[in-house]
Structures are given as C-alpha cells and as structure tokens.
Amino acid sequence: MASGETPAGLTAAEAAERLRRFGPNALADPDHRNLARLVLEVLREPMFLMLVVAAGLYLLLGDLGEGLLLGGFAIINLGLVAGQEWRTERVLESLRDLSSPRALVIRDGREQRIAGREVVPGDLVILAEGDRVPADGRLIACRDLQIDESLLTGESVPVRKQAGSETEAAVPPGGDDLPFVYSGTLVVKGQGLAEVVATGARSEIGKIGVRLATLAPEPTLIQQATARLVQRFAVFGIGVSALVFLLYTALRGGWLEGILAGLTVAMSMLPEEFPMVLTVFLALGALRLSRQKVLTRRAAAIESLGAASILCVDKTGTLTENRMTVACLYAEGGFHDVAPGATALPEPFHGVAEFAILASKRHPFDPMELAMQRLGQGTLGGTEHLHPAWAMVREYELQPGFLAMTRVWDADPVDPSDGYVLAAKGAPEAIVDLCHLPEAERRTVDDAVRAMAGRGLRVIAVARGHTLQGTLPSLQHDLDFAFVGLVGLADPLRADAAVAIAECREAGIAVAMITGDFAATATAIGRQAGLERADHVLTGPELAQLDDRALAERIAGTRIFARILPEQKLRLVEAFKARGDVVAMTGDGVNDAPALKAAHIGVAMGGRGSDVAREAASVVLLDDNFAALVAAVAQGRRIFDNLRKAMVFIVAVHVPIAGLALLPLAFGWPLLLFPAHVVFLEMLIDPICSIVLEAEPAERDSMRRPPRRRDEPILARRGLLWGVVQGAAALLSILALYAWSLGQGMSEDAARGLAFTALIAANVFLVLVNRAWGSAPFRGFLRPNPALFAVVAAAAVALGMVLYVPMLERLFHFEAPEPGLLLLALGIGAGSVAWFEFLKPLRRGR
C-alpha cells in the first residue's frame, strides 16, 4: 500500500457503542449447550432414569421414605452432573474465545490486535498475506491484493482486488477487481486496508448460513477406546442385572423386589464415569495449558503431547527471542561491530545501512527490517542517506528457491532522466548471484559470511543498482546490481531454551531445529542451546538431492536443518513419521500449514503466526516460546497419567460395589446394598475422579522416562488387571467382615452398617493408593492436594450422618456401630487396599 498518514479509525468509545448496537462479530452456534439443554441431556442419562424407576418402585411397595430418598438423590444427581457439564462447557467456551480468529484494526490512531468477534462496522481492518478476513468490508487501499473466496463461491482461483469509493454499492463475492472483501475468505497475496461494512449474521457468510467452525472431528483414540470399554461394561452389567432379577424372583419371590435388586446391580456396574472423566480431564487440561500460554485447539493434541518423541522447532522466535539487532556490518573488505545504542557509523558502512533500509518496508513488521530501521534512525538521522520523500515504484518479492527481494525507487519524480534506484537484500548466495560477482569476489564474500555466521549472526547481503525509467523486467534477475555489503543480525537465545532442551533430552525427546537461516548461524545457535549433534547439518539444497531412503538415513543422525524452504518442512515431517516418531512441528507462515497439518502435533506461533498456520495447527504457542512447548509436553504426560489413574480407580471401585450387590444374593445372605447405597457411593466416586485425580501433580519421573507409544491404550490389560485385583481385595475383605458380623448374631442393619463403613474406607484408600504410582510406599499419601482433603472430609461427614442421624440411619437400613466396631470396619477397609503400596516398587520396576 502506498505510504501516508495513518488514519485514526474508530475511538474505543465508538467501538464499544457499536459492539453493543450490532452485537459480536460471530455466527450463531447450533452446538452451544445452555443450562436447559444440559439438564435435558442429564434427564436422559441411564443413571438418572434408573433412580427415577427405583424411586417409583419403592412408592409402589409403600415405602414412602425410601422412595423420597431416591427421588432426592435423583435431584442431587441431576444438579451435580449438570453442574459439572456446565463447568466443562464454560471451560470450552473460554477456550473457543481464545482460539477465535484475530483481527488487526486501527483504533484511536494506532494499530491494535483484537479478537475477531470484537470487530464492528466502521472499523479499519489491516489485511496481510495469510489472514482470514474478519468481516465484510470495502477496500480503502490495497497493493497486489489477491483473496481466495472459494468458501463463498466454490472457485479455487484467487481473485484480484482493488480499492473503491464509498459510493459503490455492495455486490456478491466472485470476480476480479471488486473493491469488497468478505468475512471468512483468505488473503493469499498482498496487503489491504478495508472499512468494515457488515459483521456477524449481516455478512455474506452469515446470510447464507455457513458455519465457519470446522466439521465435528472424528473420535480420538482415547474416545474410541473409552466408548468400547463403556459398551462392554454396559452389556456385561445388563446381563448380570437380568440374572439377578431371575435369581431373586426364583429364590425369594416378589418381582418388584427382584427389579429393585437388578437395578441395584445395574447401577453398581454402570461405568458412567468413564466418558465424564475423559471430557473433564481433556477440558480442564486444555484450560491448564492455556494458563501456560499454550492453546490446544483439538482434544487429540492433549493425547499426542505426552507421546511426542521429536520436537521440530524453528530457530527464530522459538529458540531465540526474535528481538533482532544489527551487531556487525561488512563493506569494502572490512568489518564493523555495532555497539548497542550506536549513534554513528564509519563512512564506508553508510551505504550498507542506507540500502538495507531502502530494501525493507517503510513500515515494517519483520524483526530484521525493524532492526535495520532502528540502526538507520540511530546512526544516519539528519544525513543524506535516509530518503523519506522517495516514492516506491515496484517491489520484487521473495520467490521459492530464490531468497532475495528488490524495491525500485523513484528518487526524483520531476526529472525522469535520473532513472530508478534499486535496493536489494536477501540471502548472501542469492545477492551474489544477482550481482554476477566474479569468482574471486564470491570467495571473499563467502569468507565474510562464514566469519559472521560463525559468531551466531544471521547474515543478510545488500546490493544497489540503477535503471532507466520505463518498463521494468518481470524478474529482478534481469536488473543490474552492485554488491554493497553484509548485515549481521543477532537474535539472542532465550534464557530458558537450553534448560528446556536439556529437559527434553532427559525425557527421551529429540529436538530438531529447522530454519531458513545460514548453516553456520544455525550451528552456532544449536551449540548455545545444547542441541545434540550440533555439528551435523543438513541444508535445503542437500535435502532436495536426496531420495526418501537416503533422507531417512541422514535424519537419523541430524538435528539441525538449515536453509530449509517451507515446502521442505512437509517432507521432513513425513520422513520422521516414517521412522515411527510422534512429531511435533512448529510453524508460523502460510506455507507452513501443510507441515503443521501433517504432523501429529502442529504447533503454530500465536504471536507472529498467520491465521492459516493457526487453523492448520492443533496447538498454538501464545508467546512463541519453546520452553512453553516443553511445559505443554510435560502437562500432556501429567494429564495422560492422571487419566490412567482415574480409569484404574473407576475399575477398582466398581468391583466391590458390584460384588457386594450381587454375591450376598447368591450366598443366600441378606442384601447388603440397596439403590440408595449405590447412589451415595457414586456421589463420592464422581468428585474423586473429576476433581481429585485431575488435580494430581505430575509424577516425579514423568519427564525422566521415554515417551509412550501414541497408540498405547489408556487402560491397557495390565492397568485393567491392577484395578480388578485392587477391587477384588477390597471385596473379599468386606465380604468377610459382613459374614463375620452376621455370624456374630448382629442384626442385618448392624452388619450392613459395618460393611458399608469398610467400603467407604476402602474407596478412600483406593484413591490414596492410585494417586501416586511413582513414589515410595505411603509417601504419595502426603502429597498436597486440597481437593482430596475436601472430598475425604465431606465423605467422612456424610458417612457419620447416615450412621448416626436416626432418620437417615433408618432410610439407609443401618444401625449405628459401637466405636470399637467402627474402628474395626475402618481398619479392614483401609487395610484391604493399603498393602498395595508395597507392590509399587515392583510395578514401577516393570
């Protein structure tokens, strides 16, 4: 776009008023779950329906108290489940707000980055390559702007745009040279400034009812495995419940009581916690990651994060600070180190700074161009080497395979005889090629480049030229240039990068640096960061010469890839995947999108990345920091570990509940558990799963062990067996206590109260045993977790109430135990599973 004064745009007050008047720039979400919808979904849950049926049966049998108790439990269950779902929905909504497209607008006379939903009519929106257009608008200015409108028109060929006047009437999308841009379309080339004319449902995309959200994703590996587990449990539970009904009716008579007994067993075996735990863990895990400035856009990313075996990262801005400064200049065979805050340059180096600035954008965003501009303002201010009045005639952009750009300037529009001034900058090899240097001068420049790159500097070459006014050639290579010099830019390593890479090494995760920078520069940064095999570098030109088999051999021993073009990143991703690696790939540009999509974990840069890269990625680093990515991997491992603990706990806790509901009937004993008891236990289990175990800190060795396999099941055979054995131990101990109590002549209610107390104690110790698998015996009991203590305290109070409050005691068919018997029951319940602590070293060794 042509330079000029920056327009003021709307004021903050005007924008706020228009946001109130027109509403947010968003389409209606048909999948939005409000509280009423959540309640209706809970009303269809099997557990709730079984509670209602059981309450109705008790009322039919004339047991008003039991019927009202179960009815009350049904209402409490409704509130608890709907509340948990509401909490999860709010978490997901906050994450959707974070992941919504952003827009660069001009307000109060300055550029501001805001959420796309906050754009209002009248806003001035700056558009650049890789952006999604946030709203329908009229172009005020543009340069070489082309937009992909296939979302609206179905035409895959981008269309050209041109600026228009305020009097032009809006037209439908499609066709070249229209002055309108449309919400949801993609800028594929050029820049533009547009005034917003329609937002939300008033935009073209809103009128035709197209949703911008992606289609519902396929179930993830964990979701599929959980669904299969739930189906198997459900089928088994239904079969056992039917058997209980038949046995009760045949042996004891009374079909209504038989239905109640069958319902009790069904409720005890229903694995409703599995999908709930999965949803809550993934949602809260994503929220925790967002607090670490890591946004997960897809649930599958959380699964894969803990399994990542190689992190392919960019150098600039990820390992380094992306805070470029000019550290060294080369011209006329000599070097000059630029001191921080320098106010002058030796005369031989004025031309390098002058033409580096002329070859850059006048209002740059690129860190290197900003550094060059700061150098000029600090050292060339007030001299003839800065040219704010010159008019740019043409720009030759970077081309694939030729990393150089040229800007053509008209120094004196009044006198055409002066011709045009050419300023070019780019990769040293490309600029040397542009200048057609003789071999001797090429070697001299190459030596200077190696010297600067060996210091870890990013090296840019600068050239100048002159051409007569008239028709310019289509290729910059057809212009005549003279070599001016080299600019060495320093981008310091992030302070925490070396520590993060060391943490990856300890966790068995390889780190590969993939950069477009010079090989020597990449090597220097790699050494500073502590990358393995920093002296083994594969360059883009070398990669292009390798077939797939040869590439597979080279990448096995290579961790630095330099001079890599964006399209070559995809080939590297596929090569690592072919070796069996779980690949995380970072990227920020439009051309990085295929590689991000192909990686198991695509990681986009939130600070400097394009909208296209963010849409293709499954993870967004909001501050572009490599250490945040490593922290996300650690969180992914913690989440997966805690999910596995929760699944084992669910299996373990359901074994004694189901056994105590079924076996007394088979042995001819009085029934031990009724529906009210099962519901009471479920209300204890749910918060343990969704609150206590989710909040568990990471195991001490979580980042000191190799990555797990990506297809490793959440509940493998060994984990399932571990849970069954724990539950069986608790079941046998409690059954023995129940049989002993009946044999001692205790009443049914007294024996039931003791057995139930032991069951509660066993459940509490099951969570204590399973909350820390990597610690020494009983040491995990002492790990701080405020949620655990709150849940245990609530369980103790509730148990005391149902045992010692007369009305509740009668409703639960209990008889208050004596203190000595109460301690005996608590000890048997705790001891039935506490001894598993001594097996942890054996399990950990395996």
Side-chain angles (χ1 to χ4, degrees):
M1 290 179 296
S3 61
E5 292 188 6
T6 302
L10 299 177
T11 65
E14 289 172 336
E17 191 278 328
R18 295 189 186 197
L19 186 61
R20 286 192 298 270
R21 191 199 322 171
F22 295 104
N25 179 34
L27 303 179
D29 182 6
D31 289 334
H32 177 69
R33 302 161 76 207
N34 55 26
L35 188 58
R37 180 173 171 180
L38 291 173
V39 170
L40 288 175
E41 290 178 0
V42 176
L43 292 177
R44 295 194 292 266
E45 288 287 329
M47 179 62 78
F48 181 83
L49 295 176
M50 285 191 288
L51 275 174
V52 172
V53 171
L57 288 174
Y58 273 116
L59 292 176
L60 287 176
L61 291 170
D63 193 337
L64 180 63
E66 194 81 22
L68 292 177
L69 177 65
L70 285 181
F73 273 148
I75 295 174
I76 294 172
N77 180 73
L78 173 66
L80 286 175
V81 177
Q84 183 63 66
E85 291 288 334
W86 178 253
R87 179 190 180 200
T88 302
E89 189 66 24
R90 299 286 69 74
V91 169
L92 294 174
E93 190 169 291
S94 67
L95 292 174
R96 281 194 292 267
D97 290 342
L98 280 175
S99 61
S100 65
R102 303 177 305 162
L104 184 62
V105 301
I106 299 175
R107 288 182 180 174
D108 295 314
R110 60 187 180 89
E111 297 175 4
Q112 302 179 36
R113 182 76 67 174
I114 65 172
R117 61 183 291 110
E118 297 175 6
V119 173
V120 297
D123 260 328
L124 298 181
V125 179
I126 298 173
L127 303 173
E129 181 178 331
D131 289 347
R132 286 278 179 195
V133 179
D136 289 6
R138 178 185 295 105
L139 283 168
I140 298 174
C142 66
R143 187 182 76 239
D144 199 19
L145 184 63
Q146 295 186 23
I147 294 184
D148 178 0
E149 296 182 347
S150 58
L151 180 68
L152 298 173
T153 65
E155 294 293 334
S156 59
V157 178
V159 295
R160 293 189 310 273
K161 295 293 179 178
Q162 66 177 14
S165 64
E166 296 184 5
T167 58
E168 293 189 61
V171 295
D176 288 321
D177 299 325
L178 295 177
F180 298 98
V181 293
Y182 304 94
S183 177
T185 57
L186 174 66
V187 179
V188 297
K189 188 178 181 183
Q191 297 174 313
L193 179 67
E195 179 183 2
V196 173
V197 297
T199 59
R202 300 174 184 83
S203 65
E204 286 294 322
I205 201 168
K207 292 175 184 176
I208 61 177
V210 178
R211 290 185 60 224
L212 292 181
T214 58
L215 297 174
E218 291 291 322
T220 67
L221 295 175
I222 290 182
Q223 290 170 334
Q224 294 173 23
T226 302
R228 288 193 297 269
L229 200 62
V230 170
Q231 290 169 2
R232 291 167 185 168
F233 268 82
V235 169
F236 182 68
I238 291 171
V240 174
S241 300
L243 178 62
V244 167
F245 168 72
L246 294 174
L247 285 174
Y248 193 101
T249 305
L251 299 177
R252 304 192 182 190
W255 64 273
L256 285 178
E257 291 85 351
I259 293 176
L260 280 173
L263 281 174
T264 302
V265 173
M267 292 165 65
S268 70
M269 300 186 71
L270 184 69
E272 61 169 353
E273 296 89 0
F274 283 132
M276 181 269 292
V277 162
L278 183 61
T279 301
V280 169
F281 273 49
L282 294 181
L284 292 182
L287 181 63
R288 290 180 189 275
L289 287 170
S290 72
R291 290 170 180 163
Q292 295 182 327
K293 298 188 176 181
V294 179
L295 174 62
T296 51
R297 301 184 66 249
R298 300 180 182 89
I302 298 178
E303 297 178 39
S304 301
L305 273 171
S309 60
I310 184 165
L311 308 182
C312 299
V313 299
D314 190 16
K315 175 181 71 68
T316 304
T318 307
L319 292 178
T320 63
E321 295 181 0
N322 197 26
R323 183 177 51 83
M324 288 287 188
T325 58
V326 176
C328 181
L329 299 174
Y330 170 83
E332 299 181 11
F335 293 94
H336 173 71
D337 289 334
V338 180
T343 58
L345 291 175
E347 183 63 33
F349 300 96
H350 285 183
V352 183
E354 175 184 5
F355 280 89
I357 295 169
L358 284 173
S360 304
K361 296 185 184 299
R362 181 160 274 167
H363 301 288
F365 293 99
D366 181 83
M368 291 187 295
E369 294 188 347
L370 285 169
M372 295 172 191
Q373 193 170 80
R374 286 195 298 268
L375 174 69
Q377 291 169 351
T379 61
L380 302 179
T383 71
E384 72 280 8
H385 297 290
L386 295 182
H387 310 284
W390 286 14
M392 195 186 73
V393 178
R394 179 169 178 175
E395 180 180 34
Y396 293 90
E397 299 181 351
L398 293 172
Q399 298 295 324
F402 193 74
L403 303 179
M405 62 180 295
T406 299
R407 293 167 75 84
V408 182
W409 296 93
D410 188 352
D412 187 358
V414 178
D415 186 3
S417 63
D418 285 348
Y420 293 144
V421 176
L422 310 176
K425 67 176 174 63
E429 61 267 29
I431 294 298
V432 165
D433 187 32
L434 272 183
C435 297
H436 307 292
L437 293 182
E439 187 61 32
E441 292 186 30
R442 283 175 181 262
R443 285 196 298 269
T444 300
V445 172
D446 288 345
D447 291 342
V449 170
R450 277 192 293 271
M452 296 172 76
R455 296 169 52 186
L457 301 180
R458 186 162 189 174
V459 184
I460 299 296
V462 179
R464 65 183 298 172
H466 186 274
T467 187
L468 297 176
Q469 292 192 14
T471 303
L472 293 168
S474 59
L475 298 176
Q476 56 186 323
H477 209 282
D478 295 332
L479 296 167
D480 292 326
F481 290 94
F483 185 80
V484 177
L486 302 173
V487 179
L489 298 114
D491 184 11
L493 190 72
R494 287 184 182 268
D496 49 8
V499 174
I501 288 175
E503 190 175 358
C504 287
R505 188 181 304 113
E506 193 172 15
I509 303 170
V511 179
M513 182 170 70
I514 302 177
T515 178
D517 212 339
F518 196 73
T521 306
T523 300
I525 292 295
R527 289 187 186 128
Q528 293 176 36
L531 279 179
E532 294 180 299
R533 307 166 192 161
D535 293 328
H536 295 77
V537 182
L538 178 64
T539 66
E542 292 171 342
L543 187 153
Q545 302 300 317
L546 300 177
D547 59 22
D548 291 343
R549 178 176 296 181
L551 178 59
E553 293 176 358
R554 283 293 301 273
I555 64 174
T558 305
R559 291 295 175 264
I560 295 180
F561 302 86
R563 280 327 212 200
I564 299 296
L565 297 173
E567 54 267 27
Q568 291 178 319
K569 287 186 177 182
L570 175 60
R571 192 174 174 206
L572 286 172
V573 168
E574 297 293 357
F576 281 119
K577 288 170 65 177
R579 294 177 65 242
D581 282 311
V582 176
V583 183
M585 165 67 78
T586 68
D588 53 10
V590 177
N591 292 333
D592 290 333
L596 295 176
K597 200 82 171 178
H600 296 111
I601 312 159
V603 183
M605 302 294 106
R608 68 180 191 275
S610 65
D611 285 347
V612 174
R614 283 189 289 270
E615 289 173 12
S618 50
V619 173
V620 178
L621 298 183
L622 299 180
D623 63 354
D624 301 353
N625 192 347
F626 174 71
L629 176 58
V630 178
V633 171
Q635 277 288 346
R637 292 191 177 190
R638 184 195 71 83
I639 292 167
F640 192 88
D641 283 349
N642 288 347
L643 260 175
R644 180 170 284 168
K645 294 172 187 176
M647 297 295 185
V648 171
F649 171 78
I650 291 169
V651 171
V653 82
H654 274 84
V655 170
I657 295 175
L660 295 175
L662 174 63
L663 292 179
L665 174 64
F667 294 157
W669 300 346
L671 294 181
L672 201 163
L673 295 181
F674 296 121
H677 302 135
V678 176
V679 176
F680 182 95
L681 292 166
E682 292 290 340
M683 289 183 178
L684 175 63
I685 294 169
D686 286 356
I688 286 177
C689 294
S690 62
I691 299 174
V692 175
L693 291 176
E694 192 282 328
E696 278 297 310
E699 297 284 351
R700 288 187 302 171
D701 68 339
S702 67
M703 288 296 283
R704 294 200 299 269
R705 59 176 186 252
R708 62 178 173 82
R709 298 194 323 273
R710 182 169 177 264
D711 58 351
E712 183 176 331
I714 186 69
L715 189 59
R717 183 174 302 173
R718 194 173 75 178
L720 180 62
L721 180 62
W722 182 255
V724 169
V725 171
Q726 287 180 341
L731 171 62
L732 292 175
S733 300
I734 297 167
L735 274 178
L737 174 64
Y738 189 50
W740 177 83
S741 301
L742 293 173
Q744 292 296 309
M746 293 184 189
S747 67
E748 293 180 13
D749 288 355
R752 183 178 295 111
L754 282 180
F756 192 79
T757 300
L759 181 57
I760 293 294
N763 285 353
V764 170
F765 269 76
L766 277 172
V767 72
L768 291 174
V769 167
N770 285 294
R771 64 189 295 248
W773 288 348
S775 62
F778 299 104
R779 185 171 295 175
F781 286 22
L782 305 177
R783 295 203 320 185
N785 185 334
L788 171 65
F789 297 113
V791 169
V792 171
V797 171
L799 177 62
M801 291 176 64
V802 298
L803 287 177
Y804 293 104
V805 174
M807 183 183 71
L808 294 177
E809 181 186 358
R810 289 192 299 272
L811 288 174
F812 276 82
H813 303 283
F814 290 154
E815 184 178 309
E818 298 176 359
L821 291 175
L822 179 66
L823 291 176
L824 174 66
L826 291 173
I828 289 176
S832 67
V833 293
W835 63 277
F836 277 90
E837 284 290 306
F838 296 107
L839 297 182
K840 283 185 176 179
L842 176 63
R843 188 179 192 275
R844 191 164 61 249
R846 279 181 157 181

